[in-house]
Amino acid sequence: MRTALLFPLFFAATPLLAGSFTPPQGCTTTLTVQSRGCYVANYYTCEKDNPGDKWRADFDQEGMFYMSRIDRETQWIESYDLNPTVVQTLDPNPKDPANFSSLLATGRDDFDFSLSKDNGEHTNVKGFDKLTGETATIDGVTLQRTEFEYVETDDAGNELRKSHGHEYISAEWRNFFSGQSEWWDGTQWLPLEGSPVQFYLPGEKGFAATQPIFECDAVMSEATPLERLWRASDGR
């Protein structure tokens, strides 16, 4: 019920077009990330959420198209895919919940959980995240590089989507950031690149931006929906 109430409040308080991102009342923007592939993400926290929960709102050149909430262990809690609007939530009692602390401590985290959408779709996600032992410094921020793989199936076991590749994590921010990966479209593996380029903290020029600035001229019209689908499936 809290989620259902928050969703309309978000759109009442937040502009959907380019400008300065304003989170819902009681929430605070903490980080803005400009990434390759022509999208920008704004991260924010809300007073009424559980400690460690954080939200992400994604924008492309046309405005906001996706937002999601994760918990301290980076579990997918809820997400909103726009145009059309579809709400997806984590099912209770996952078989093997995502665990960021385990990834940091052991170098690997396996996960196995289920998701439900308000359109009636129910899916199951199974995969892993693994530290590669490599680090990268992007815009002055040191990140650890990961390897990941996951497959999403329906309740009959049919594969709906799958992906593998590399991401980045920040132990300090307890967050994942996209990297180079491949997405299976049903017939072939398609490369995707959404690595962060610049990070903006409060008070810095570019913080709370809603207009992406990197590789926008290179994004082909047929590639954008695929990248949106991939990011919505990742959800972090």
Side-chain angles (χ1 to χ4, degrees):
M1 179 62 69
R2 188 200 61 78
T3 298
L5 291 174
L6 178 61
F7 190 50
L9 289 176
F10 182 94
F11 290 101
T14 305
L16 296 183
L17 301 178
S20 180
F21 177 73
T22 303
Q25 186 176 359
C27 303
T28 303
T29 308
T30 59
L31 177 69
T32 300
V33 183
Q34 289 277 2
S35 298
R36 298 184 61 179
C38 194
Y39 87 101
V40 57
N42 282 286
Y43 295 80
Y44 61 99
T45 58
C46 299
E47 297 173 356
K48 294 183 179 180
D49 288 336
N50 294 323
D53 285 11
K54 58 177 67 71
W55 288 83
R56 190 188 87 210
D58 290 351
F59 292 77
D60 62 13
Q61 288 177 300
E62 298 177 358
M64 186 172 69
F65 64 88
Y66 179 77
M67 69 177 188
S68 65
R69 178 167 67 101
I70 60 173
D71 68 7
R72 177 175 171 79
E73 297 300 343
T74 68
Q75 288 192 96
W76 292 259
I77 301 300
E78 57 184 310
S79 66
Y80 300 85
D81 198 6
L82 310 183
N83 303 315
T85 300
V86 178
V87 182
Q88 186 176 53
T89 55
L90 177 69
D91 286 358
N93 305 314
K95 293 181 180 179
D96 189 355
N99 192 303
F100 194 77
S101 296
S102 178
L103 176 62
L104 293 176
T106 69
R108 181 184 174 108
D109 177 47
D110 293 272
F111 49 80
D112 187 350
F113 56 87
S114 297
L115 299 167
S116 294
K117 292 183 178 180
D118 62 352
N119 62 7
E121 181 181 348
H122 184 262
T123 61
N124 308 289
V125 181
K126 189 173 183 177
F128 69 86
D129 293 302
K130 182 173 67 174
L131 297 180
T132 65
E134 302 170 310
T135 62
T137 300
I138 300 176
D139 194 26
V141 178
T142 300
L143 305 170
Q144 297 182 66
R145 198 163 185 253
T146 72
E147 176 185 349
F148 79 90
E149 181 176 319
Y150 79 85
V151 60
E152 189 170 3
T153 62
D154 61 20
D155 289 334
N158 300 307
E159 289 188 355
L160 302 176
R161 53 189 68 90
K162 59 183 177 181
S163 182
H164 66 247
H166 296 276
E167 292 181 311
Y168 302 96
I169 64 166
S170 167
E172 178 184 359
W173 292 333
R174 297 187 72 87
N175 233 328
F176 281 82
F177 301 101
S178 298
Q180 293 180 327
S181 64
E182 290 185 315
W183 173 275
W184 181 254
D185 72 348
T187 58
Q188 61 181 331
W189 288 101
L190 301 176
L192 294 172
E193 169 61 276
S195 298
V197 179
Q198 290 184 342
F199 297 93
Y200 303 91
L201 294 171
E204 296 180 342
K205 184 178 180 180
F207 179 73
T210 59
Q211 181 64 41
I213 59 177
F214 293 108
E215 298 186 348
C216 292
D217 293 338
V219 174
M220 300 175 63
S221 60
E222 61 267 25
T224 300
L226 180 62
E227 292 188 0
R228 286 181 173 184
L229 180 62
W230 168 63
R231 287 196 291 272
S233 297
D234 180 71
R236 291 179 291 191

